[in-house]
Amino acid sequence: MTATLRALFGTPLNAVLTLVMLGLFWLAIPPFVEWAFAHATWDGLSRKACAPDGACWAFVRARFALFIYGRYPLEERWRVDVVLVTLAVLALGALFAPRGRGWCLGLLMTVLPIGGAVLLTGGVFGLAPVATGDWGGLMLNVVITFIAVLISLPIGVALAFGRQSELPVVRWFSITFIEVWRGSPLLAVLFMGLIMLPMFLPNGVTVDNLVRAVVVLSLFESAYMAETIRGGLQGIPKGQTEAALALGMHKGIAQALVVLPQAMRLAIPGIINIVVDLFKDTTLVSIVGLFDLMGVINQSLKDPNWLGLAMEGYTFAVVLFFFACLLISLAGQTLERRFGSASRNPRR
Amino acid sequence: MAVTVYPNRYSDKSGSVRGPVGPFETRKEIDKEQLRRRTNPIARCSGLGQPPRDDGGVTPAQSIWGLIMKRTLHRMLGAVGLAATILAATALPGLAPAAHAQGVTFPGPTVEAIKKRGMLSCGIDTGVPGFASQDNAGKWHGIDVDYCRAIAAAVLGDQEKVKWVPTTAAARFTVLQSGEIDVLIRDSTLTFTRSVQLGLDEVAVTFYAGEGFLVNKKLGVSKITELNGATICVITGATLELNIADFARSNGTKIGTLLFDKPDEAIAAMEAGRCDGYTDDTGSLAGMRSTLKNPSDWVVLDGVISKEPLGIHARSGDPSWQKILYWLHAGLLTAEETGVTKANADQLKTSSKDPFVRRLLGTEGDFGKKLGLDDEWMLRAIKVGGNYGELYDTYFGPKALDLPRGLNNLWTKGGLQYALPWR
């Protein structure tokens, strides 16, 4: 306690800074609490029901399902629930299960994407087809993030090795790919996918907007993944490869079984960083006409019954995104402990 | 490769029905095979440079994205231009329309494609009050949306058979040209550039909008010309500012502007007294006013300083589709003129003696069949949301956004909505 006090008021400068910050909190927090809680309205059918000086949470409540599922048909929403719950269970299993973590991870990376895609799109096994245009809300952010990570991770690994390859063609291809994607703004690339792609496609061929967005995001993130993993690869001493080769391992096997696992362990913090970033970047897909959480919120602000409630909508988005990113970040920390990258630095 | 002017359209052999010679059809190049194809890529690229303006309202998202988009696009345009040049050099000869000398056939390739698909693909706004917005259950509402439903009801017999394609300002014309949507009804202004350079059919004006003003009652101003010396809060990234400057210059008045990125910020500044009023399209001004703390302190001034005729865009090259769309709009207006409503349409179909009503509802004249549809097409279209007046009332009437009808009234009531005669 005294240590804290000393840190806050130890010197005159610190004391002044502390008081200024407290003053700012005093100015900002009570009005916010008043707006968000004391004067807030929780029930109502339209904005008219809301108190003028408080938050209109009735808006968020009325539209909650829309924010989570988008226009996914009401009677089919259980399919989204199944996929999201399976994702959560498998992810928890891969992190915390006392045994069978590998199985969980394997299912997460193979069965879930395929099964999930079948379940969500429908059209087979008596499931009603649901157009991707009707997917939306938070579900869309989660789905896009998951698929993009799944695609970009292996591509990233390949590019990271490719960049270190001794074959000039492979090396230059990898370098070009990485630099081009890293060097272009995501918004511009999404626009290219939206506006330029239809021009280059043959007549009558249209590519699903969701597919466009996922492809663009995956390729974009692969470049970042590649560089993060390359950082990990560089952290592995050359002796590891040489030792593996001396044991008679094939070159590829040595990389895959000795170098890569250690490199991935080093790269985990960077990869988690990319995933969090990607999750937030998925909100950009609203510009290609997909209604992710931000898209749905912006859309909802245009309902004549709920005009002028931007503060409530955006506050809700901030809270939801904060907790979602916190979850990813916590999962990352658990992963680090599991693989021991924090405690057992191989370069020690 | 000859361009043909097709002869007088679907004139009835009996002579009782004359082909409409309206402003919407004069010369057309017919090309059925090329119809679904992409048009000149250069024309399409020029669509990128279109200002994302003319929406009923610039949504907060649109204003941020609009800004980012514009910047990004400007940077991209160089690359786009290059790509388009290459594409044009290699592919243009194959894409240039080859014409066939023959009359218009109904229902035409677009309708055939829609029927085959079983769905009308309709381009709408991503969200603007009164024109297209979703309710709590995610169902689309709005006057543009109801036009899509009416078309689906007329062509497919089911108003729910619509694939909604919400389009951003930047992408709207591209998705239309690429064939992703059959028709664009997205509070988009009909202009020369879009008609000629983008090669779109501008079928009909469904909503006459313009840039208007919402000002504090304390100013004591009733006309825009009296705004001399006032300061107006304006959202950037559109033509709003330019319109004000042009207006002030041509009228010799001085109007100060205070610029903002988002409507919410501008409105907050206005309520805090930093400016005397706010400007936007008339359609969204009414909606804006209803969100103010004390709506009765503010007044929407009469008149506008720019013309924003919002309406239906279709891909060029299918004259029969264009005619169906035009006559659907004309039919909704005729229904209002003749007193046909959602409620009494079925009854009037059998009981009415008015020849216009009888032709409209398919009791006589086979007008629907002449368009390649069935005779009850307009009856179904009217039963979606009623006649034009009912549609306006649902979304802009006193119980909704409370926007006076003004120019959108029928020509008989001092407005501009005038349908070509249904005979």
Side-chain angles (χ1 to χ4, degrees):
Chain A
M1 191 63 204
T2 46
T4 317
L5 274 182
R6 208 178 305 130
L8 289 175
F9 295 98
T11 67
L13 179 67
N14 279 359
V16 169
L17 286 178
T18 305
L19 287 175
V20 167
M21 287 312 291
L22 283 177
L24 287 179
F25 285 149
W26 178 248
L27 282 179
I29 292 176
F32 179 80
V33 171
E34 217 164 78
W35 173 81
F37 300 104
H39 295 172
T41 310
W42 296 85
D43 274 310
L45 291 174
S46 78
R47 188 177 201 256
K48 290 186 193 80
C50 290
D53 56 345
C56 187
W57 298 123
F59 165 63
V60 174
R61 279 188 66 186
R63 296 218 165 224
F64 188 77
L66 203 60
F67 290 167
I68 303 299
Y69 301 101
R71 295 185 70 243
Y72 209 89
L74 203 60
E75 60 277 14
E76 307 292 338
R77 285 182 181 165
W78 61 271
R79 282 149 63 173
V80 181
D81 295 337
V82 168
V83 172
L84 292 184
V85 167
T86 315
L87 172 65
V89 168
L90 287 179
L92 284 176
L95 287 173
F96 298 109
R99 55 174 57 201
R101 286 200 297 272
W103 276 102
C104 283
L105 195 66
L107 290 175
L108 198 64
M109 290 173 71
T110 53
V111 176
L112 182 65
I114 297 165
V118 169
L119 199 58
L120 288 180
T121 27
V124 282
F125 307 127
L127 292 167
V130 179
T132 53
D134 287 343
W135 301 17
L138 187 67
M139 156 222 174
L140 194 63
N141 296 90
V142 174
V143 167
I144 294 178
T145 309
F146 181 69
I147 304 177
V149 170
L150 208 64
I151 298 176
S152 61
L153 209 53
I155 298 181
V157 170
L159 286 171
F161 278 119
R163 198 167 179 160
Q164 295 185 331
S165 168
E166 283 156 15
L167 301 170
V169 179
V170 176
R171 189 170 66 244
W172 283 106
F173 171 80
S174 304
I175 292 175
T176 315
F177 183 97
I178 292 170
E179 295 305 333
V180 165
W181 283 94
R182 259 200 329 175
S184 40
L186 183 53
L187 258 180
V189 182
L190 278 171
F191 262 120
M192 294 280 279
L194 175 70
I195 295 170
M196 301 284 293
L197 195 66
M199 287 173 45
F200 298 119
L201 287 176
N203 299 335
V205 176
T206 52
V207 178
D208 192 282
N209 265 348
L210 179 62
V211 174
R212 284 186 215 177
V214 166
V215 167
V216 165
L217 277 166
S218 304
L219 294 179
F220 193 82
E221 296 304 327
S222 321
Y224 283 89
M225 287 283 186
E227 287 301 274
T228 306
I229 293 167
R230 192 167 67 96
L233 289 176
Q234 282 176 347
I236 309 302
K238 222 175 171 181
Q240 296 281 331
T241 321
E242 284 163 1
L245 291 179
L247 283 174
M249 279 190 188
H250 184 266
K251 223 172 173 182
I253 304 282
Q255 293 291 334
L257 293 184
V258 176
V259 179
L260 187 61
Q262 301 186 65
M264 290 304 271
R265 182 199 278 173
L266 280 181
I268 286 173
I271 292 175
I272 295 301
N273 199 16
I274 291 175
V275 175
V276 170
D277 223 26
L278 171 64
F279 184 65
K280 291 190 286 182
D281 280 349
T282 53
T283 53
L284 293 178
V285 300
S286 56
I287 64 158
V288 295
L290 293 170
F291 287 109
D292 77 306
L293 180 63
M294 281 311 285
V296 173
I297 289 177
N298 280 325
Q299 218 289 318
S300 294
L301 300 177
K302 303 299 156 195
D303 183 345
N305 287 326
W306 301 106
L307 287 175
L309 297 174
M311 274 284 270
E312 287 81 349
Y314 295 154
T315 309
F316 177 70
V318 166
V319 172
L320 217 55
F321 268 97
F322 173 75
F323 283 108
C325 292
L326 189 69
L327 273 181
I328 301 178
S329 161
L330 287 177
Q333 284 174 26
T334 313
L335 208 61
E336 278 178 42
R337 272 199 302 279
R338 281 266 171 245
F339 286 119
S341 57
S343 56
R344 277 190 287 135
N345 190 328
R347 277 198 299 178
R348 182 172 39 175
Chain B
M1 278 298 214
V3 171
T4 317
V5 177
Y6 65 88
N8 199 9
R9 21 243 134 228
Y10 49 100
S11 51
D12 186 327
K13 289 200 179 66
S14 73
S16 65
V17 181
R18 301 256 312 269
V21 186
F24 300 100
E25 36 168 345
T26 42
R27 294 162 65 92
K28 274 284 161 292
E29 299 166 8
I30 309 170
D31 171 26
K32 289 199 294 181
E33 279 141 28
Q34 297 285 337
L35 193 69
R36 305 276 307 162
R37 291 199 167 193
R38 302 163 297 175
T39 43
N40 182 345
I42 290 182
R44 212 187 279 182
C45 281
S46 62
L48 294 173
Q50 286 303 308
R53 177 58 203 152
D54 81 23
D55 310 350
V58 177
T59 70
Q62 274 168 346
S63 60
I64 319 171
W65 295 139
L67 211 71
I68 303 173
M69 279 177 205
K70 257 175 89 177
R71 284 181 196 156
T72 322
L73 278 178
H74 276 295
R75 281 181 212 147
M76 278 170 55
L77 269 179
V80 172
L82 182 69
T85 317
I86 297 166
L87 197 76
T90 54
L92 200 56
L95 288 173
H100 304 275
Q102 56 188 28
V104 185
T105 50
F106 289 98
T110 309
V111 170
E112 273 160 19
I114 293 169
K115 285 191 167 159
K116 200 172 152 201
R117 206 186 306 137
M119 278 276 188
L120 169 79
S121 185
C122 205
I124 51 172
D125 201 302
T126 51
V128 55
F131 292 96
S133 65
Q134 288 177 5
D135 64 11
N136 295 347
K139 193 169 156 54
W140 285 101
H141 294 280
I143 196 165
D144 287 353
V145 166
D146 275 359
Y147 262 87
C148 292
R149 289 211 176 97
I151 298 168
V155 174
L156 292 168
D158 184 350
Q159 64 172 85
E160 297 304 324
K161 293 258 167 72
V162 185
K163 183 189 171 208
W164 303 107
V165 181
T167 54
T168 56
R172 54 187 160 173
F173 298 120
T174 320
V175 295
L176 180 59
Q177 285 163 328
S178 68
E180 229 176 294
I181 55 176
D182 302 309
V183 59
L184 180 78
I185 312 178
R186 186 205 175 275
D187 54 296
S188 295
T189 311
L190 314 182
T191 66
F192 180 92
T193 325
R194 288 168 188 176
S195 164
V196 177
Q197 271 171 265
L198 295 188
L200 300 174
D201 280 345
E202 301 183 323
V203 180
V205 179
T206 55
F207 195 98
Y208 289 96
E211 183 178 346
F213 290 89
L214 172 73
V215 298
N216 199 319
K217 269 191 183 154
K218 275 186 282 183
L219 286 185
V221 169
S222 61
K223 286 201 301 263
I224 297 175
T225 40
E226 296 168 12
L227 271 179
N228 202 3
T231 305
I232 302 294
C233 286
V234 188
I235 334 165
T236 54
T239 50
L240 293 168
E241 251 185 286
L242 181 72
N243 291 340
I244 292 183
D246 284 352
F247 175 80
R249 219 170 67 184
S250 53
N251 285 275
T253 56
K254 257 186 97 162
I255 299 178
T257 51
L258 203 57
L259 303 179
F260 292 90
D261 222 26
K262 289 172 156 190
D264 305 292
E265 292 169 15
I267 286 291
M270 182 183 84
E271 289 200 288
R274 288 179 61 198
C275 51
D276 307 307
Y278 174 75
T279 183
D280 205 337
D281 273 0
T282 41
S284 33
L285 276 188
M288 228 20 136
R289 181 168 171 262
S290 69
T291 69
L292 298 176
K293 288 194 187 93
N294 298 308
S296 51
D297 288 354
W298 304 87
V299 60
V300 177
L301 294 181
D302 271 346
V304 290
I305 61 166
S306 74
K307 293 195 286 187
E308 309 286 349
L310 312 178
I312 305 175
H313 285 90
R315 232 181 346 270
S316 276
D318 186 353
S320 40
W321 177 231
Q322 188 203 4
K323 285 175 207 299
I324 290 170
L325 293 173
Y326 173 72
W327 284 102
L328 184 124
H329 170 66
L332 292 176
L333 289 176
T334 309
E336 188 183 3
E337 278 176 18
T338 53
V340 179
T341 64
K342 186 178 178 175
N344 69 11
D346 275 322
Q347 184 210 334
L348 283 179
K349 179 175 158 58
T350 47
S351 69
S352 178
K353 302 271 183 290
D354 186 338
F356 287 94
V357 175
R358 289 170 71 83
R359 288 179 203 135
L360 182 71
L361 298 179
T363 324
E364 64 177 54
D366 283 348
F367 278 37
K369 289 208 181 79
K370 282 169 189 148
L371 284 170
L373 305 169
D374 62 297
D375 283 337
E376 292 202 333
W377 71 295
M378 270 317 297
L379 177 69
R380 289 191 304 267
I382 292 167
K383 279 163 72 182
V384 167
N387 60 43
Y388 182 82
E390 288 179 279
L391 288 178
Y392 189 94
D393 216 47
T394 309
Y395 300 110
F396 298 97
K399 282 191 192 136
L401 292 171
D402 196 12
L403 182 73
R405 256 186 92 174
L407 293 179
N408 290 301
N409 224 323
L410 290 181
W411 62 288
T412 48
K413 294 175 186 161
L416 290 178
Q417 289 294 2
Y418 181 102
L420 302 185
W422 201 268
R423 59 177 151 81

